Structures are given as C-alpha cells and as structure tokens.
Amino acid sequence: MEQTRVPHVVLLPYPAYGHIKPMLTLAELFSHAGFRVTFVNTEQYHDRLLGNNDVTGFYKRFPNFRFTSIPDGLPPDNPRFGIYIKDWFCSDKPVSKLAFLQLLMSPGLLPTCIISDSIMSFTIDVAEELNIPIITFRPYSAHCSWSDFHFSKLAEEGELPVTNENFDKPVKCIPGLENFFRNRDLPSICRDGGPDDPILQTFIRDTSATTRASALVINTFNEIEGPIISKLGSRLTKIYTVGPLHALLKSRIQEDSAESSPPESNNCVLSKEDRSCMTWLDSQPSRSVLYVSFGSFIKLGREQILEFWHGMVNSGKRFLWVIRSDLIDGEPGVGPVPVELDQGTKERGCIVSWAPQEEVLAHQAIGGFLTHSGWNSTLESLVAGVPMICWPQIGDQQVNSRCVSEIWKIGLDMKDTCDRSTIENLARDLMDNKRDKIMESTVQIAKMARDAVKEGGSSYRNLEKLIEDIRSMAFKA
Ligand code: UDP
C-alpha cells in the first residue's frame, strides 16, 4: 500500500571522525523520525565504531538502523592519515565505488534517497547510474563551502598558492568575504600547492559535482551565516541548514521524552572517553578552566606541545588538556617533561587522552576553549556559550577561526603563531582582560543557536522540511 511506505535512507560519510559524527547525528534524527537507515562506513571506521560502542543497545533504541561497511581499497597496513590517504582522496575510488554500487543493488536495500558526504562524489555517479535521488552533506560552515566554490577563480586569477609573502593580502574575488578575509584565512588547501595541485583539483571536481545532487544539507544555521547561505543557494538546487546538529538532536529527543520514552541520544564515539576529567571539573571554580583540545585528527610536533604547555602554565590559568595517544608527530609520547610544567600541571591542570567534549564544554567550570577550530568543535563551543582561542591548522579551520574572531567576535585568533608568550597572553585576554566584550557576543550567539534548534526555530523547521521531502520521494518511488 502506497501510504505505508517507510523511507529508507543510506548515508555515507567521508572516513574521518569529524565527518562521521555529524552525519551519524543526522542519521539518528532520520531514525527518530521513523525512517529506515543504513549507515555506511569504510571498513576501518566501521570496526572502530563497533569496537568502541554498545551497538546492541544502539539497535534496541533505533530498531530501523543498520551499520554496514565498504572497503576503501587501501592496503591493510596503510595508516590512513595525511599523505597516506592523499592518493585515495584524489582517485576515483574504484574499489569503494563498485562496493557501494553492489551494496545498493543487494536485495531489499535499494534506498529512497542517498545522503553522501560532499567530498565523495563517486556516490553521485552511482546514484545517477541507479536513478536514486542523492543529497550531499557538508559538515563544514557555509563560509568554507562558499570558498570551495571559488577555488577555480582563485587559481585563474593567479592567487594560488597562498604563501607567507601574500598572507595578509585581502581576498577580493569571493563575493561576501571581501571585507573580512585575508589570504591566510582561506582553506589550507590554498596554501598547499599551485593551481594544478591534485588535492585542489579533487576539491574543485567534488564541489562542482554537488551541483548535480538534488540538494545540500549543511551543518550550520541561518542566523549566523545567512548572507553566505543565500549566495551558496545561487549555485545549488536546494539547501537545508539543520545545524548545530548535535543541539538539534538533543532538542528533538528532550521534546519527545516529555511525552513518552523515546530513544536516547547515542553519542557514538571512536575512542574511549576518560570521564575522570568530569570529576576534576566538579572541583574547579566557575568559569575558571581553559579547555584545550585539537580535535580527532591533527598532529603536533613535540616543540609545539611544549610551547602550548609553557604558555598555559605561565598564564596561571587552570586547564584541561586532551592529549590524544596519536597527537604527537613521530615518537609516541611527549618525552621528558620540564619540572616546572609537571609542577604547574599538578597544581592547576588535568590531562586526558579523550574527553566527553560536549559535556565538558557545558560544564560550569569551563571559561574558555583553546581549539584547532574544527567545525564540530566550533559549533559545540558556540552552543555552550564558551569563547575560543583559535589555532587553526588544516582544511576549513583557517576559515572557521576568522569567522569566530572577526565576524561573530566570539574568540581570538592565533593563526600562524605558536609561541609560549602569545599563548600565555591570549589565555589571560580570553579569561580576564577581554572577557566582558567577548562574552557579550558569545552569549548572544549561543542564544541564536539554541533558538534555531527549538521547535519553530530555523534549523528545526528545515529538518522537518527535509524529512517531509524524503517522505514524498518514498511515495513517488
Ligand atoms: N572530541 C571529543 N573528545 C575529545 C576531542 C574531540 O569528543 O577529547 C570530538 C569533538 O566533540 C568534536 C570532534 O571530536 O565533535 C572533532 O571534530 P572537529 O570537527 O572539531 O575536528 P576534527 O577532529 O575533524 O579535526
């Protein structure tokens, strides 16, 4: 019977935690809306996800949800990091493409709609081959997405690569960013190579391919990026802004728990959380702690670690620092720790290898966030009303830190520096000297974010519309 058709959505994130996490949140929202969901990771991430989570419990809460995997085609011993995945990223990914096609053709799996990460354009070829509607997903800001659409133009106008010599030149060829962006604020790919750089060319190819999809879902909200979202809309068929997704999921689940006993949020993780930091935070004064984390992916040299450490200890501020087991480039571990750092940490610090970040940011003891400006971290801090010190390294992080410091004015940008005195000074500025001014906009923007995900808010309504549109695809199928 036509009326009882349950939509089936297949979601495929790019294999990196910062991409998987928001797409998984979107998948949970679909499942919560009664859709059947198939979530496809590459085999290595699938195994990590299943190894670190209670998947049986998850399936109980979301009975229509299935995790599955496809190979990435790389040899098993490839570390799948940085340069090691460059060739895969730049290729047509033939092994994954064939496996994805076969997966979709397996009995009973043909979906109503595919939701694919916007940098996995082989999925658009597959969708067209099978005549399945496809929507792309961007776990980045609209400002970054809009910059990506201008890589060809930047190359044509001889602006690439961005180098130390032209870092401070204003960006003139991206409408809407002229008054805010310098070359150093463009996505890091603009620094890496010239116009023929294979990664840049892959971004150009994948960004252009997204215009063939039925729509774009983006993890942002109209109230902070409205003008740029409108510009992006001129290039795409349709855009659904549904962010901040982590807050939207909480809002939907809380709303329903008032009425019945709905599925809880899953918070699937790829690393075990060390919750001892929550007990430590409980014993710290209100808004006194600087939370320091560089996300799931980037690496630091030992010298950089020591500069940060000296800067934090010298600032006299309390700090909670995530040092992942794979954070340090080269040798495992930090090596010998100078006695003054050891002492300063015992007095005022706490170090863990992975924290429950959303909970940490929501804790009353947290007064600031020293971050690498990944988009998930930025949104999580923004929702929690925690001002930031930004130390961007790769990808979209340079863009995000500029938005935080110059457009939204909810943080300080220490882009392209890494010395102990800058860190010490910025920690004091954020926590004391410049705090009142920064907190004015931080509180305002946090309210906008929370309002966007409440019933009737912009992202709340856009999710409803997206769900409705996918339902109508199921009826047409
Ligand atoms: N994260 C976490 N615990 C940690 C460090 C990071 O839960 O100790 C999460 C964080 O909440 C965020 C994600 O990891 O959702 C990192 O994503 P982001 O986009 O900020 O950076 P990426 O890892 O992609 O560089």
Side-chain angles (χ1 to χ4, degrees), residues 141-173:
S141 66
H143 279 79
C144 178
S145 306
W146 185 232
S147 307
D148 290 359
F149 270 98
H150 290 82
F151 286 161
S152 301
K153 200 168 167 197
L154 284 161
E156 275 159 30
E157 301 205 354
E159 298 290 345
L160 301 183
V162 166
T163 61
N164 282 345
E165 282 74 49
N166 62 17
F167 262 175
D168 289 319
K169 187 175 170 202
V171 172
K172 287 290 171 208
C173 71

Side-chain angles (χ1 to χ4, degrees), residues 17-19 21 273 291 293-298 322 353-358 372-378 380 397:
Y17 185 57
H19 291 240
K21 187 178 166 186
E273 291 171 344
Y291 172 56
S293 166
F294 302 113
S296 65
F297 190 72
I298 64 164
V322 177
S353 60
W354 190 255
Q357 181 164 303
E358 287 177 39
H372 71 309
S373 295
W375 186 237
N376 294 296
S377 295
T378 304
E380 289 159 14
Q397 296 158 15

Side-chain angles (χ1 to χ4, degrees), residues 168-227:
D168 289 319
K169 187 175 170 202
V171 172
K172 287 290 171 208
C173 71
I174 309 185
L177 305 188
E178 308 93 334
N179 297 325
F180 301 106
F181 275 53
R182 306 153 301 174
N183 279 345
R184 66 167 84 233
D185 306 314
L186 290 169
S188 70
I189 180 64
C190 297
R191 303 175 174 208
D192 295 343
D196 299 327
D197 181 79
I199 298 191
L200 182 84
Q201 288 304 323
T202 305
F203 267 106
I204 292 175
R205 178 194 71 187
D206 284 358
T207 304
S208 153
T210 55
T211 60
R212 285 156 44 204
S214 319
L216 172 74
V217 173
I218 180 162
N219 189 14
T220 186
F221 57 108
N222 293 344
E223 288 72 12
I224 48 162
E225 296 201 280

Side-chain angles (χ1 to χ4, degrees), residues 21-75:
K21 187 178 166 186
M23 197 182 264
L24 185 53
T25 307
L26 181 65
E28 289 180 43
L29 283 159
F30 286 145
S31 183
H32 190 51
F35 289 8
R36 190 177 149 212
V37 171
T38 303
F39 198 84
V40 189
N41 276 302
T42 56
E43 284 162 353
Q44 287 68 23
Y45 276 98
H46 177 76
D47 293 347
R48 264 181 81 181
L49 199 98
L50 265 53
N52 280 300
N53 295 281
D54 169 18
V55 176
T56 314
F58 182 91
Y59 285 160
K60 271 195 195 136
R61 297 199 294 278
F62 297 106
N64 272 342
F65 201 112
R66 280 294 165 267
F67 288 107
T68 188
S69 64
I70 54 170
D72 58 19
L74 292 169

Side-chain angles (χ1 to χ4, degrees), residues 363-414:
H363 197 285
Q364 56 83 33
I366 296 294
F369 184 11
L370 170 47
T371 170
H372 71 309
S373 295
W375 186 237
N376 294 296
S377 295
T378 304
L379 286 176
E380 289 159 14
S381 198
L382 184 152
V383 169
V386 174
M388 290 165 257
I389 298 172
C390 305
W391 188 63
Q393 295 300 291
I394 56 166
D396 59 331
Q397 296 158 15
Q398 274 81 2
V399 176
N400 303 337
S401 64
R402 189 63 171 172
C403 293
V404 163
S405 61
E406 256 334 277
I407 305 182
W408 307 322
K409 302 195 185 301
I410 56 175
L412 306 168
D413 194 357
M414 58 170 278

Side-chain angles (χ1 to χ4, degrees), residues 55-293:
V55 176
T56 314
F58 182 91
Y59 285 160
K60 271 195 195 136
R61 297 199 294 278
F62 297 106
N64 272 342
F65 201 112
R66 280 294 165 267
F67 288 107
T68 188
S69 64
I70 54 170
D72 58 19
L74 292 169
D77 60 348
N78 185 304
R80 293 173 170 78
F81 175 81
I83 51 163
Y84 296 101
I85 53 166
K86 185 175 158 202
D87 292 344
W88 182 77
F89 178 70
C90 297
S91 77
D92 291 335
K93 308 172 187 65
V95 173
S96 305
K97 183 172 176 177
L98 181 63
F100 189 55
L101 181 87
Q102 287 169 343
L103 177 80
L104 296 178
M105 289 172 67
S106 39
L109 231 106
L110 199 69
T112 313
C113 171
I114 298 166
I115 311 256
S116 160
D117 199 293
S118 64
I119 52 170
M120 302 277 271
S121 68
F122 71 84
T123 57
I124 300 181
D125 303 334
V126 171
E128 286 172 347
E129 201 172 323
L130 299 179
N131 203 18
I132 301 169
I134 182 159
I135 295 176
T136 52
F137 174 76
R138 278 191 167 250
Y140 316 117
S141 66
H143 279 79
C144 178
S145 306
W146 185 232
S147 307
D148 290 359
F149 270 98
H150 290 82
F151 286 161
S152 301
K153 200 168 167 197
L154 284 161
E156 275 159 30
E157 301 205 354
E159 298 290 345
L160 301 183
V162 166
T163 61
N164 282 345
E165 282 74 49
N166 62 17
F167 262 175
D168 289 319
K169 187 175 170 202
V171 172
K172 287 290 171 208
C173 71
I174 309 185
L177 305 188
E178 308 93 334
N179 297 325
F180 301 106
F181 275 53
R182 306 153 301 174
N183 279 345
R184 66 167 84 233
D185 306 314
L186 290 169
S188 70
I189 180 64
C190 297
R191 303 175 174 208
D192 295 343
D196 299 327
D197 181 79
I199 298 191
L200 182 84
Q201 288 304 323
T202 305
F203 267 106
I204 292 175
R205 178 194 71 187
D206 284 358
T207 304
S208 153
T210 55
T211 60
R212 285 156 44 204
S214 319
L216 172 74
V217 173
I218 180 162
N219 189 14
T220 186
F221 57 108
N222 293 344
E223 288 72 12
I224 48 162
E225 296 201 280
I228 299 295
I229 293 163
S230 305
K231 289 190 189 299
L232 208 49
S234 65
R235 302 286 182 99
L236 298 156
T237 315
K238 196 183 268 187
I239 297 185
Y240 302 89
T241 51
V242 294
L245 274 165
H246 72 287
L248 183 56
L249 182 67
K250 281 199 186 93
S251 152
R252 295 296 301 244
I253 282 172
Q254 267 163 16
E255 180 185 288
D256 287 1
S257 359
E259 293 160 21
S260 57
S261 48
E264 293 156 30
S265 168
N266 172 62
N267 279 330
C268 266
V269 292
L270 286 176
S271 305
K272 293 269 181 241
E273 291 171 344
D274 181 347
R275 298 192 58 85
S276 65
C277 59
M278 298 309 292
T279 317
W280 182 81
L281 282 177
D282 286 343
S283 62
Q284 307 305 315
S286 175
R287 306 289 165 226
S288 68
V289 176
L290 183 66
Y291 172 56
V292 185
S293 166

